[in-house]
Amino acid sequence: LLAVGNSLTDTIDGYISPVATSGGIDLSWNRYTVPGIGTWVYDMQPTGGFGVSNVQTAVKTVAYDHLSFQPFPNMPCVPSGHASESTAQNRSDAVNIDQAWDDAVGVNPNVQLWVYEAWPPTPTEGYSNCVTGGGWLRDPSIWNPSSPGSWNAAEANELLYMEAVRSALIALEPSRPVPYIVPAGRVIRNVKTAV
């Protein structure tokens, strides 16, 4: 497993190994995380993060069984399209993730791709952003959710965004294993509801 994202993805550090071990799974995993970064990190900042020293080199040379990417509410902040843009910050999350997926299948054609769904900001931070809706929207013709009236509604929009990224990846690579979503935001929503 290689998890690529920011500090929200990095919350697995220190937890994933003990959980895997408790289930009898011998997990070899690593990460590449940079605080506050979006999916463009793979193309534009492959070094300097936590974990592997160069994320592109790792993806191109290690036969990972699983590869996870976390979209984030900064650029590109659009789930699909914009493939011809000059920089990864202006391409979509799906196009950016697909670049890494292309590299990963060169080493392991059956690599399983995951899209990591984080969670919205707290109400005091203002839970609306370009992923959850109600904030700046880069391309409303592609992503234009209703403005959330609650944290739960913002989380629902967040999950819909990840589903849109997943659908775009399936359209880009229909012959590859279907990507999955890590529903971390939905888990937090369920824990919040239970509490």
Side-chain angles (χ1 to χ4, degrees):
L1 165 68
L2 177 65
V4 181
N6 54 54
S7 59
L8 301 181
T9 296
D10 216 24
T11 57
I12 66 173
D13 188 32
Y15 294 96
I16 195 165
S17 290
V19 169
T21 301
S22 72
I25 298 169
D26 183 19
L27 178 67
S28 174
W29 78 279
N30 214 320
R31 72 201 203 274
Y32 184 75
T33 57
V34 178
I37 215 81
T39 57
W40 55 268
V41 68
Y42 184 79
D43 183 66
M44 297 179 70
Q45 191 177 335
T47 63
F50 297 107
V52 297
S53 60
N54 185 311
V55 68
Q56 289 180 6
T57 300
V59 169
K60 292 175 183 178
T61 60
V62 178
Y64 290 108
D65 292 325
H66 300 271
L67 180 62
S68 169
F69 267 82
Q70 180 204 332
F72 195 64
N74 56 22
M75 292 298 279
C77 219
V78 65
S80 61
H82 297 277
S84 63
E85 299 287 344
S86 60
T87 69
Q89 284 184 316
N90 292 325
R91 297 174 202 139
S92 67
D93 283 311
V95 169
N96 288 341
I97 294 169
D98 189 49
Q99 178 185 354
W101 200 8
D102 284 343
D103 290 342
V105 298
V107 186
N108 179 4
N110 297 314
V111 63
Q112 179 61 59
L113 187 65
W114 296 79
V115 179
Y116 186 95
E117 180 227 358
W119 47 92
T122 64
T124 56
E125 296 171 306
Y127 44 70
S128 297
N129 58 43
C130 62
V131 167
T132 63
W136 169 76
L137 296 173
R138 176 178 165 209
D139 187 342
S141 70
I142 294 176
W143 180 248
N144 191 9
S146 58
S147 182
S150 67
W151 188 90
N152 283 4
E155 186 281 324
N157 283 352
E158 180 115 11
L159 186 56
L160 287 173
Y161 185 91
M162 302 311 150
E163 290 284 1
V165 172
R166 178 182 178 272
S167 294
L169 287 162
I170 293 168
L172 287 168
E173 308 294 350
S175 63
R176 292 185 186 165
V178 174
Y180 294 130
I181 292 177
V182 179
R186 182 51 49 101
V187 169
I188 290 174
R189 177 180 173 179
N190 291 345
V191 168
K192 174 182 172 286
T193 301
V195 169

